Amino acid sequence: LIGGAAQAASLSSLVREIVEERYALVTPENGEFDINFFQVSDIEVDEINDFRLDPNSGQFIVAATTPEKDLIRVSGAAIMVVDIPVPNRRIMPDEVITSEDIVIARLPYSRVSSFSVMDQEYLLGQQASRMLAQGRPIQENSIMQPLVIKRGSRVEIISYNGLIRISAPGRALADASQGDELRVVNLVSNRIIVGHALREGVVEIKN
């Protein structure tokens, strides 16, 4: 006897218990198993007598005893699935992601990489750095903090000397998100200096 119940239970629930116990150490926090049978939808059984699982494919063969004391053999597949945020439409580069762009999808864990973003809140307000396909997990390297300065754009360069604020016009030599370091050309002195993106169109030079 591998798995059983005080009274008849669905075969899928008993198989799920066995699989979850075997894979408890490698199942992600929001992961669970979908149990699908090849020959039947689901049946009531008293106990599971034998269970054999291919860990690579997830396919299994289970022997169980029915309430009528018949011994049956059923094959199927146990697929680990996770709930993950995915785009509900194609998101183009430079678009900022909002809650209206994201839905939660249940996908096989095999389609989710270690770099896939699992937290919906983390995605909100991020900017797509490449095209994001509808219904597919979003990779961490496909998003970034929104750009506040674009390469070649005019910027205001500011610095402080005590309480005195000094500013000059400049041109950005690189894209930058808030807080990023970037080089700019001071259009008054024609010198290249390094500062940090303070906010949209503003670069701060710290003395």
Side-chain angles (χ1 to χ4, degrees):
L1 176 65
I2 294 179
Q7 56 185 8
S10 68
L11 181 58
S12 62
S13 65
L14 296 180
V15 169
R16 184 176 291 104
E17 288 179 8
I18 295 172
V19 174
E20 287 177 348
E21 183 178 352
R22 290 191 182 183
Y23 289 94
L25 295 180
V26 295
T27 302
E29 183 178 351
N30 67 337
E32 58 182 62
F33 286 89
D34 278 348
I35 307 299
N36 300 295
F37 300 113
F38 297 151
Q39 300 99 338
V40 297
S41 54
D42 203 356
I43 54 176
E44 296 287 304
V45 298
D46 281 344
E47 61 187 25
I48 290 179
N49 306 93
D50 187 36
F51 182 79
R52 300 183 183 184
L53 175 70
D54 181 343
N56 295 319
S57 67
Q59 295 190 15
F60 61 81
I61 298 177
V62 57
T65 302
T66 69
E68 295 76 28
K69 307 307 177 186
D70 294 325
L71 182 64
I72 61 169
R73 291 185 182 276
V74 178
S75 59
I79 306 299
M80 186 189 298
V81 295
V82 292
D83 291 333
I84 185 170
V86 298
N88 60 13
R89 63 176 182 86
R90 181 182 297 176
I91 298 176
M92 302 307 293
D94 295 335
E95 284 193 70
V96 176
I97 301 171
T98 71
S99 59
E100 295 180 354
D101 301 321
I102 300 297
V103 294
I104 301 299
R106 174 161 291 194
L107 299 179
Y109 190 55
S110 59
R111 290 181 54 187
V112 179
S113 78
S114 59
F115 299 104
S116 298
V117 179
M118 305 294 291
D119 183 3
Q120 180 179 2
E121 293 300 320
Y122 178 78
L123 292 171
L124 303 184
Q126 298 282 338
Q127 185 172 341
S129 57
R130 63 187 67 179
M131 192 271 288
L132 306 178
Q134 180 178 353
R136 294 185 181 178
I138 298 173
Q139 307 304 307
E140 290 183 1
N141 62 358
S142 298
I143 57 175
M144 61 184 180
Q145 288 291 326
L147 294 178
V148 293
I149 292 174
K150 290 191 174 183
R151 180 179 180 179
S153 64
R154 289 286 295 262
V155 296
E156 180 187 12
I157 303 170
I158 65 170
S159 63
Y160 290 90
N161 185 0
L163 298 177
I164 301 175
R165 181 180 185 273
I166 304 170
S167 68
R171 187 176 302 279
L173 297 180
D175 293 336
S177 300
Q178 187 173 21
D180 286 351
E181 184 177 272
L182 76 157
R183 296 192 308 158
V184 295
V185 177
N186 185 318
L187 297 179
V188 175
S189 65
N190 207 33
R191 291 177 53 210
I192 295 177
I193 51 181
V194 177
H196 290 83
L198 184 62
R199 56 182 178 271
E200 186 171 357
V202 179
V203 175
E204 183 178 22
I205 308 298
K206 295 183 178 179
N207 297 322

